[in-house]
């Protein structure tokens, strides 16, 4: 669709099943628009060693559509803002631990949620992939608004900070530290 645009598709068929689509469109030299959509069925199989117990499976099906707008002020500073809509469905088979947790928190089930996100990134890495020196700090805050859920909770916020540093040890060897 033009210079710098990217589109990709991914299919997952081992252990989990899913499809994902991603599209990025530059909007001038510093801004861009990103769209993505996916549908997944995740299965978590649990067995107890070599005993002949029945296999227990937790299933989570979800579908989402994401919209993201970003602006790169320069090589170091980047700001992104976006939103999404998620649809969730849990399977019928649950582990005793999951059932106990749901009994403790009965009001936290949402069938549809709409997160809104703002992310600021500061990076002095010398390369976007396999950096040999520099550091990276990302502040990510997301407000989640559950919609149409059974016993739907009120909105809540999640904030994450990611720090990664590439420390040169030898001419072609660096130590990556992340917290």
């Amino acid at each position: 669709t033009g210079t710098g645009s990217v589109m990709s598709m991914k299919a997952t068929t081992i252990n989990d099943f899913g499809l994902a689509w991603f599209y990025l469109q530059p909007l001038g030299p510093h801004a861009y628009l990103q769209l993505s959509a996916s549908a997944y069925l995740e299965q978590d199989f649990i067995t107890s060693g070599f005993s002949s117990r029945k296999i227990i499976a937790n299933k989570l099906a979800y579908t989402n559509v994401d919209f993201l707008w970003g602006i790169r002020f320069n090589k170091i500073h980047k700001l992104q803002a976006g939103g999404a809509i998620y649809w969730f469905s849990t399977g019928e088979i649950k582990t005793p631990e999951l059932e106990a947790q749901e009994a403790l928190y009965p009001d936290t089930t949402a069938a549809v949620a709409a997160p809104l996100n703002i992310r600021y990134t500061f990076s002095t890495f010398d390369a976007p992939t396999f950096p040999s020196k520099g550091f990276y700090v990302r502040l990510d805050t997301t407000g989640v608004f559950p919609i149409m859920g059974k016993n739907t909770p009120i909105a809540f916020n999640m904030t994450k900070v990611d720090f990664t540093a590439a420390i040169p040890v030898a001419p072609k060897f660096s130590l990556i530290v992340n917290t």
Side-chain angles (χ1 to χ4, degrees):
T1 59
T3 303
S5 66
V6 175
M7 186 178 337
S8 70
M9 292 184 70
K10 177 175 76 170
T12 303
T13 59
I14 299 175
N15 296 333
D16 299 333
F17 301 99
L19 291 171
W21 173 80
F22 171 84
Y23 177 71
L24 179 118
Q25 177 64 51
L27 302 172
H30 300 289
Y32 57 92
L33 176 68
Q34 181 178 307
L35 301 169
S36 62
S38 62
Y40 279 94
L41 172 62
E42 294 182 354
Q43 302 178 89
D44 184 19
F45 294 102
I46 302 165
T47 61
S48 58
F50 294 99
S51 65
S52 59
R53 293 188 185 178
K54 185 171 107 178
I55 292 176
I56 300 172
N58 290 325
K59 294 181 181 179
L60 171 65
Y62 63 91
T63 301
N64 66 291
V65 176
D66 294 53
F67 166 82
L68 179 75
W69 173 80
I71 186 164
R72 181 177 292 278
F73 297 103
N74 54 33
K75 188 178 176 184
I76 297 174
H77 302 280
K78 180 170 66 172
L79 181 67
Q80 297 171 306
I85 187 102
Y86 280 80
W87 171 80
F88 302 94
S89 174
T90 56
E92 297 293 324
I93 304 169
K94 299 176 183 173
T95 63
E97 294 82 10
L98 185 58
E99 287 177 354
Q101 185 176 4
E102 286 180 351
L104 285 173
Y105 305 101
D107 295 335
T108 59
T109 304
V112 178
L116 298 175
N117 177 267
I118 296 175
R119 176 183 298 160
Y120 170 73
T121 306
F122 179 88
S123 176
T124 63
F125 281 150
D126 61 346
T129 56
F130 302 113
S132 60
K133 65 181 178 179
F135 71 94
Y136 165 98
V137 177
R138 181 171 69 195
L139 175 63
D140 200 343
T141 185
T142 303
V144 179
F145 302 92
I147 305 168
M148 296 171 35
K150 177 183 169 187
N151 300 323
T152 303
I154 59 172
F156 61 93
N157 188 57
M158 298 182 297
T159 301
K160 298 185 282 187
V161 176
D162 178 16
F163 175 78
T164 304
I167 303 164
V169 177
K172 297 201 180 221
F173 184 78
S174 296
L175 178 66
I176 304 293
V177 179
N178 176 266
T179 185

